[in-house]
């Protein structure tokens, strides 16, 4: 077996399963000082049944405590499978890994009520892998008065901050979030609104596919100005950061309210409108909070939606839009790397949140540790 490449720094695994409910992205990363290097990655997709169950758990329903516990166990098994794939692919022993940073699956995010809930049974994950697990990263920030989100901006700053220009990092997951890295200013970050979640929902309903590949279906329709105006009336969009959101707000019921009385609209025109909604709310957030930004570095699965990327590029010009791949990091792996990084911070007793981003009263060591 190859020697684990731990000599130069700590090896941590990051596991991210986001609001898209598509599956888990895993990375094995090495941290030396401020540098992060991804050594290996894996993805384990959720089956249709688990995906349905997670959808169900995102809105109030019957018997949810029991169902959440079982879904948590199923998630832990998927997470463990992703970890096994990483270890095999990289020829690394479990004992060489300092920790797994496991985001878990958000099923409710209500910081305004003082809680956020991610499931994934970290105790079981520690049992299945024999590796210490750090989980529940968001609760401590919420307890300190913050949004508990977004947490990736600290890593975005560590990787992408440039002395030469003002930049923004845009994560196009189920929800879209922006990190603003401007020279001489505090890092800012917040959720701008929906990323892919409404596009996925509409594609599942009308194409019977988990997403609109490349945004081609959206591209075959025409945005509807009246529907767009209605969607844009949502008070979340102009609200000032710190702010974060999820399926608690941007869900099927939210979309259906806006569609009321518009039964005649073609499904593809609705899809084109939803694509426009994501692009416009991101562009508007950038205009309000990111003046001077010259480059927007995109990550998350939405980077593969070419129609969305084209629309966004037009709206934010003359700022440049490009994939994080241009900067040496696969767009699908940025968020998972953030949770490997956060786990390593927790082990070191170092804070992981940025109070200016989340609104917390101060920096906090995040997460709970489940020893191997
Ligand atoms: N080829 C593609 N075309 C369009 N959309 C895509 C494509 N590949 C991935 N996506 C979108 O990316 C999403 C997954 O992105 P991800 O970054 O994993 O989000 P999350 O963190 O919310 O899970 C999918 O649900 C889908 O909407
Ligand atoms: Mg995902």
């Amino acid at each position: 077996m190859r020697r684990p490449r731990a000599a130069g720094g700590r090896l941590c695994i990051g596991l991210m399963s986001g609001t898209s409910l598509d599956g888990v992205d895993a990375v094995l990363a090495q941290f030396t000082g401020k540098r992060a290097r991804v050594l290996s990655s894996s993805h384990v997709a959720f089956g249709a049944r688990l995906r349905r169950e997670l959808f169900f758990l995102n809105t109030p329903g019957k018997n949810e405590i029991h169902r959440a516990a079982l879904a948590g166990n199923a998630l832990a098994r998927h997470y463990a499978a992703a970890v096994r794939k990483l270890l095999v692919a990289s020829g690394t022993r479990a004992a060489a890994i300092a920790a797994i940073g496991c985001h878990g699956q958000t099923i409710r995010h209500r910081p305004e009520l003082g809680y956020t809930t991610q499931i994934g049974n970290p105790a079981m994950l520690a049992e299945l892998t024999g590796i210490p697990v750090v989980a529940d990263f968001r609760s401590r920030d919420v307890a300190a008065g913050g949004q508990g989100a977004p947490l990736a901006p600290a890593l975005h700053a560590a990787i992408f901050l440039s002395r030469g220009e003002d930049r923004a990092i845009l994560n196009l997951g189920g929800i879209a979030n922006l990190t603003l890295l401007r020279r001489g200013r505090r890092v800012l970050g917040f959720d701008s609104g929906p990323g892919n979640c409404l596009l996925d929902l509409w594609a599942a309903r009308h194409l019977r596919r988990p997403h609109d590949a490349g945004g081609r279906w959206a591209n075959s329709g025409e945005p509807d100005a009246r529907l767009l105006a209605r969607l844009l009336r949502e008070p979340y969009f102009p609200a000032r950061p710190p702010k974060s959101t999820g399926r608690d707000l941007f869900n099927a019921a939210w979309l259906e309210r806006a569609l009321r009385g518009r039964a005649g609209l073609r499904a593809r025109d609705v899809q084109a409108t939803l694509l426009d909604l994501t692009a416009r709310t991101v562009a508007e957030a950038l205009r309000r909070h990111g003046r001077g930004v010259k480059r927007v570095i995109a990550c998350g699965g939405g980077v593969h939606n070419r129609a969305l990327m084209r629309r966004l590029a037009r709206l934010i010009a003359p700022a440049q839009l490009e994939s994080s791949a241009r900067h040496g990091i696969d767009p699908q792996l940025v968020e998972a790397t953030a949770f490997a990084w956060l786990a390593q911070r927790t082990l070191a007793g170092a804070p992981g949140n940025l109070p200016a981003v989340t609104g917390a009263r101060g920096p906090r060591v995040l997460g709970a540790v489940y020893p191997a």
Side-chain angles (χ1 to χ4, degrees):
M1 190 180 279
R2 246 186 300 161
R3 262 169 59 84
R5 286 160 287 189
R10 217 160 202 185
L11 292 180
C12 283
I13 287 175
L15 298 177
M16 180 65 203
S17 51
T19 32
S20 293
L21 309 175
D22 56 326
V24 53
D25 294 302
V27 300
L28 172 61
Q30 184 177 42
F31 297 99
T32 342
K34 279 201 131 189
R35 294 196 44 150
R37 200 154 73 95
V38 173
L39 303 180
S40 178
S41 68
S42 70
H43 177 84
V44 173
F46 297 153
R49 252 184 74 192
L50 177 56
R51 201 158 189 246
R52 255 201 315 278
E53 195 63 5
L54 295 173
F55 263 109
F56 163 83
L57 288 166
N58 268 272
T59 38
K62 221 177 145 200
N63 204 15
E64 21 173 52
I65 295 176
H66 175 69
R67 290 174 71 169
L70 294 187
N73 293 351
L75 284 166
R77 287 190 288 270
H78 283 75
Y79 295 158
V83 169
R84 265 193 306 277
K85 277 171 88 171
L86 276 182
L87 296 181
V88 170
S90 61
T92 311
R93 289 173 304 116
I97 310 294
I100 296 171
C102 180
H103 173 267
Q105 191 66 55
T106 297
I107 56 170
R108 229 48 72 79
H109 182 65
R110 301 298 299 274
E112 76 284 9
L113 299 177
Y115 81 94
T116 176
T117 304
Q118 286 77 40
I119 58 170
N121 200 341
M124 187 179 192
L125 182 59
E127 280 294 324
L128 290 173
T129 58
I131 299 171
V133 174
V134 186
D136 191 22
F137 289 92
R138 301 193 188 276
S139 291
R140 183 59 187 267
D141 185 84
V142 171
Q147 291 286 309
L151 294 178
L155 176 86
H156 294 163
I159 301 185
F160 297 111
L161 194 69
S162 155
R163 286 214 193 94
E165 64 183 5
D166 293 348
R167 294 176 162 178
I169 314 306
L170 169 64
N171 175 43
L172 289 168
I175 295 294
N177 50 272
L178 268 171
T179 301
L180 302 166
L181 303 174
R182 290 181 300 167
R183 292 160 300 170
R185 297 193 196 218
R186 285 196 303 191
V187 176
L188 263 189
F190 55 89
D191 293 340
S192 56
N196 305 304
C197 63
L198 301 172
L199 290 164
D200 285 356
L201 189 153
W202 200 247
R205 192 173 294 179
H206 293 274
L207 303 179
R208 310 234 159 267
R209 284 188 227 130
H211 61 252
D212 171 15
R216 281 193 289 275
W217 186 47
N219 211 30
S220 73
E222 281 297 323
D224 180 84
R226 252 177 75 202
L227 176 61
L228 183 66
R230 241 192 228 184
L231 295 168
L232 286 171
R233 239 182 265 155
E234 166 59 49
Y236 182 83
F237 297 130
R240 294 169 63 86
K243 61 177 181 174
S244 62
T245 187
R247 288 186 184 277
D248 310 80
L249 173 61
F250 295 109
N251 52 30
W254 184 85
L255 176 58
E256 271 144 25
R257 269 197 302 279
L259 283 170
R260 218 168 274 159
R262 302 296 313 275
L265 271 178
R266 293 192 310 173
R268 63 181 60 199
D269 293 342
V270 173
Q271 187 76 350
T273 312
L274 293 174
L275 185 141
D276 216 28
L277 176 71
T278 292
R280 280 175 190 263
T281 47
V282 167
E284 176 61 15
L286 198 65
R287 196 186 62 75
R288 277 189 193 214
H289 304 286
R291 192 166 304 145
V293 163
K294 292 278 181 296
R295 190 177 307 279
V296 177
I297 301 169
C299 60
V303 167
H304 304 296
N305 186 328
R306 291 174 56 192
L308 176 60
M309 291 289 281
R310 270 200 308 273
R311 182 80 187 106
L312 241 175
R314 266 203 298 277
L315 288 174
I316 67 169
Q320 282 281 329
L321 178 68
E322 62 197 27
S323 160
S324 66
R326 276 262 188 122
H327 299 260
I329 176 156
D330 181 328
Q332 201 60 54
L333 304 180
V334 177
E335 299 299 289
T337 305
F339 284 88
W341 186 85
L342 285 166
Q344 170 258 150
R345 299 280 297 175
T346 302
L347 293 184
N353 62 337
L354 294 177
V357 170
T358 64
R361 284 186 287 276
R364 294 291 186 272
V365 179
L366 304 179
V369 182
Y370 296 72

